[in-house]
């Protein structure tokens, strides 16, 4: 079963400095039919204006994954980390017992376009942690590249949840496949372009919740970038 979450149906707010879209209920957006999917709690697409950002704020007991599509995002946190996240790089922050951080667009001319994703951790009270890693384009060209997992397989970032995240850049008229165990589920997020998931068409920023499907075929109609989640 494939259930589509169309981009235009998401919660949306334009704060001037921030344009944001919420796949699931978040902040001022409440939708009882879209609270979460399995361990996936937040799927936010944000565009932050030059010189703007999120001031220091707290998190706890959540695995937070950030991916930049264009521009750059400066991160600082209470663990002493201070990094700039750029396209092709993934960031994982385990909020655990508690962390504060800020995110800022350091450019004076270019907006930053990003996805921020939250997953429930496997347990509460995990020690806070941070990782950032670049995944070169050739590693995800016309293939699913594992970028996060519970066991750091294939050099992926570690997330404290039995979930795996893949990223793929697809040329037009190409396809990739993924096998899903019978007791697991999947979420596909189209970051840009258009694809067909087992024949079901999806466009830019569309998402799809998948259950009771053991083989996923992702076919690109034109150049596309997708993020795939394998979830308990």
């Amino acid at each position: 079963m494939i259930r589509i979450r169309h981009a235009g149906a998401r919660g949306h707010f334009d704060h001037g400095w921030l344009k944001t879209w919420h796949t699931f209920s978040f902040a001022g957006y409440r939708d009882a039919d879209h609270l979460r999917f399995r361990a996936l709690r937040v799927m936010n697409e944000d565009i932050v204006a030059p010189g703007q950002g999120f001031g220091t704020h707290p998190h706890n007991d959540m695995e937070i994954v950030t991916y930049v599509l264009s521009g750059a995002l400066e991160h600082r946190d209470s663990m002493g980390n201070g990094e700039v996240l750029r396209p092709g790089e993934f960031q994982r922050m385990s909020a655990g017992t508690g962390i504060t951080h800020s995110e800022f667009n350091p450019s004076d001319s270019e907006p930053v376009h990003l996805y921020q994703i939250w997953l429930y951790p496997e347990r509460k009270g995990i020690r806070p942690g941070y990782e950032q890693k670049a995944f070169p384009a050739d590693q995800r060209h016309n293939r699913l590249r594992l970028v996060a997992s519970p066991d750091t397989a294939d050099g992926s970032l570690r997330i404290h949840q039995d979930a795996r995240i893949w990223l793929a850049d697809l040329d037009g008229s190409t396809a990739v496949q993924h096998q899903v165990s019978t007791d697991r589920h999947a979420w596909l997020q189209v970051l840009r372009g258009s694809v067909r998931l087992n024949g079901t068409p999806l466009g830019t920023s569309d998402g799809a919740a998948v259950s009771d499907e053991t083989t996923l075929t992702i076919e690109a109609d034109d150049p596309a970038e997708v993020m795939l989640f394998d979830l308990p």
Side-chain angles (χ1 to χ4, degrees), residues 11-16 18-22 26-30:
H12 173 55
F13 297 94
D14 186 343
H15 301 291
L18 169 69
K19 294 178 175 62
T20 183
W21 293 263
H22 307 321
F26 184 84
Y29 172 60
R30 292 289 183 268

Side-chain angles (χ1 to χ4, degrees), residues 54-127:
F54 304 93
T56 301
H57 57 283
H59 294 285
N60 67 285
D61 291 325
M62 199 66 67
E63 296 291 290
I64 300 173
V65 176
T66 304
Y67 181 62
V68 169
L69 289 168
S70 62
L73 186 71
E74 184 176 343
H75 165 95
R76 294 187 183 277
D77 64 44
S78 54
M79 294 181 290
N81 298 297
E83 303 286 347
V84 176
L85 187 66
R86 295 182 171 86
E89 296 179 329
F90 263 79
Q91 176 196 96
R92 184 272 303 170
M93 186 175 72
S94 295
T97 54
I99 191 173
T100 61
H101 77 134
S102 63
E103 297 160 299
F104 182 75
N105 180 357
S107 174
D108 58 6
S109 59
E110 184 182 4
V112 56
H113 184 188
L114 65 114
Y115 270 84
Q116 187 165 98
I117 299 140
W118 298 6
L119 297 105
Y120 288 109
E122 62 194 5
R123 59 182 172 84
K124 292 185 176 182
I126 290 170
R127 182 179 178 179

